[in-house]
């Protein structure tokens, strides 16, 4: 399923016929409810990867949907009153059904749905957003959590209030859509307004050695979930990361063993060590077309 995309803007778009939604800090997720009785739910990441096994709680909830339903939205995990991207990444990275079941109980996921693409076998993508939104609300409100429609307003003043007040809950900004627009699969027709290019990222690995890490392998809360290599760490950050790595359990290969490579801008294929569970870092980054993300600090306050 090819999803719609959004282009960044610097100011809040205004004008007639616009809708405003909060942009949640999570992973893009498409829910496909098929007509199979037992395994009739498929959860697909934006990259196309099937992640159903990682989110058994959402898969179970999606069985309440009518067969032939496809939803577009964001999977989030709430912690201490705000969404936590690192915890979503932790949920998505599990390798076993037993571990996924444990995390579903201890770190339950929520689904912030912002579009319905198919309903009871009827393809809705050519319908205007206004109609799809009404069908989405009618579908999900009777079900309740963890499947919920995102808030929406056509009032730019209320949208601006959301933009100013919701970041404390982990909301990144706003997504703006035209009420009369069909679903723009594969196109950057929607608009997104973010507060800043400083955000939290999941640290899923590091280059160098455990005692002297050189850079971090990051998954940002935007884009297609492709890991990126950060710019070189400063000396104080190397010390801080080394201490944090020493307390973390590494992947199955064990400490000090390189289990993969990643393509770094200007460096080609670079070996790295995975981290499981991930750390969280505050990074400065605009997009994958710009220089590598700069790590500002580790987040030890989460």
């Amino acid at each position: 399923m090819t999803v719609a995309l959004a282009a960044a803007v610097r100011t809040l778009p205004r004008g007639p016929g616009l809708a405003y939604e909060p942009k949640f800090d999570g992973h893009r997720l498409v829910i496909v409810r098929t007509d199979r009785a037992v395994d009739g739910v498929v959860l697909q990441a934006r990259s196309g990867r099937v992640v159903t096994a990682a989110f058994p709680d959402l898969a179970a909830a999606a069985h309440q949907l009518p067969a032939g339903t496809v939803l577009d939205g964001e999977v989030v995990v709430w912690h201490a009153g705000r969404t936590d991207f690192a915890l979503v990444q932790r949920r998505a990275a599990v390798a076993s059904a037993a571990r996924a079941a444990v995390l579903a109980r201890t770190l339950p996921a929520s689904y912030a749905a912002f579009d319905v693409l198919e309903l009871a076998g009827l393809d809705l993508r050519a319908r205007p957003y206004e109609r799809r939104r009404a069908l989405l609300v009618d579908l999900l409100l009777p079900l309740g959590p963890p499947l919920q429609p995102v808030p929406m307003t056509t009032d730019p003043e209320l949208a601006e209030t959301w933009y100013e007040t919701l970041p404390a809950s982990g909301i990144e900004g706003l997504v703006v859509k035209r009420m009369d627009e069909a679903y723009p699969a594969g196109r950057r027709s929607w608009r997104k307004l973010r507060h800043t290019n400083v955000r939290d990222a999941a640290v899923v690995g590091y280059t160098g050695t455990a005692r002297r890490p050189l850079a971090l392998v990051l998954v940002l809360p935007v884009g297609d979930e492709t890991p990126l290599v950060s710019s070189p760490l400063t000396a104080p950050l190397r010390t801080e990361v080394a201490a944090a790595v020493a307390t973390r359990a590494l992947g199955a290969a064990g400490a000090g063993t390189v289990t993969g490579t990643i393509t770094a801008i200007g460096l080609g294929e670079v070996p790295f060590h995975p981290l499981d569970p991930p750390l969280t870092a505050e990074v400065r980054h605009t997009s994958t077309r710009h220089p590598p993300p700069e790590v500002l600090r580790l987040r030890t306050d989460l």
Side-chain angles (χ1 to χ4, degrees):
M1 181 65 67
T2 302
V3 298
L5 304 172
V9 294
R10 295 182 178 272
T11 59
L12 183 68
R14 293 173 179 267
L18 295 180
Y20 305 88
E21 300 172 349
K23 186 181 185 306
F24 283 76
D25 186 8
H27 275 196
R28 188 75 171 269
L29 191 74
V30 174
I31 294 180
V32 181
R33 174 70 169 98
T34 71
D35 57 2
R36 294 190 177 187
V38 179
D39 57 346
V41 171
V42 176
L43 307 182
Q44 176 194 301
R46 173 182 160 177
S47 62
R49 184 167 59 99
V50 174
V51 294
T52 314
F55 298 97
D57 43 349
L58 292 186
H63 275 277
Q64 302 175 78
L65 299 170
T69 296
V70 179
L71 301 179
D72 189 7
E74 199 92 358
V75 54
V76 299
V77 173
W78 291 89
H79 174 70
R82 59 179 290 126
T83 59
D84 189 321
F85 173 74
L87 295 183
V88 178
Q89 177 64 18
R90 185 174 175 184
R91 288 288 313 265
V94 297
S96 70
R99 180 62 176 161
V102 169
L103 291 178
R105 293 192 299 270
T106 58
L107 299 174
S110 297
Y111 187 69
F114 47 71
D115 220 318
V116 54
L117 313 186
E118 188 174 318
L119 183 59
L122 179 63
D123 190 340
L124 303 175
R125 287 173 292 182
R127 305 283 181 91
Y129 165 79
E130 183 175 21
R131 179 57 180 157
R132 300 196 313 275
R133 170 69 191 187
L135 291 171
L136 177 69
V137 172
D138 289 346
L139 173 66
L140 295 186
L141 280 187
L143 301 182
L147 308 180
Q148 295 178 281
V150 299
M152 185 276 281
T153 183
T154 57
D155 181 355
E157 302 306 321
L158 177 56
E160 190 165 18
T161 298
W162 286 353
Y163 181 72
E164 294 171 353
T165 60
L166 289 180
S169 299
I171 303 302
E172 291 186 307
L174 299 173
V175 176
V176 186
K177 306 173 182 179
R178 292 205 330 263
M179 296 286 283
D180 62 354
E181 185 178 28
Y183 183 79
R187 295 185 289 114
R188 294 190 180 276
S189 181
W190 297 343
R191 298 292 178 260
K192 55 186 175 185
L193 176 66
R194 291 199 187 94
H195 283 270
T196 176
N197 60 356
V198 175
R199 55 188 59 119
D200 288 346
V203 181
V204 298
Y206 63 93
T207 68
T209 67
R211 291 186 177 182
R212 194 174 185 275
L214 300 179
L216 300 183
V217 180
L218 306 166
V219 174
L220 301 175
V222 292
D224 59 1
E225 306 173 33
T226 300
L228 301 174
V229 178
S230 74
S231 58
L233 300 174
T234 63
L237 271 173
R238 284 200 300 268
T239 301
E240 186 178 1
V241 171
V245 166
T247 65
R248 278 292 205 268
L250 294 180
T257 301
V258 177
T259 61
T261 60
I262 185 171
T263 301
I265 298 174
L267 298 176
E269 292 293 317
V270 175
F272 77 97
H273 310 269
L275 275 172
D276 182 21
L279 294 165
T280 303
E282 185 176 87
V283 302
R284 180 183 290 116
H285 183 64
T286 303
S287 81
T288 56
R289 295 185 296 275
H290 290 73
E294 174 192 3
V295 179
L296 303 178
R297 64 186 179 104
L298 288 184
R299 291 293 302 272
T300 58
D301 56 332
L302 300 178

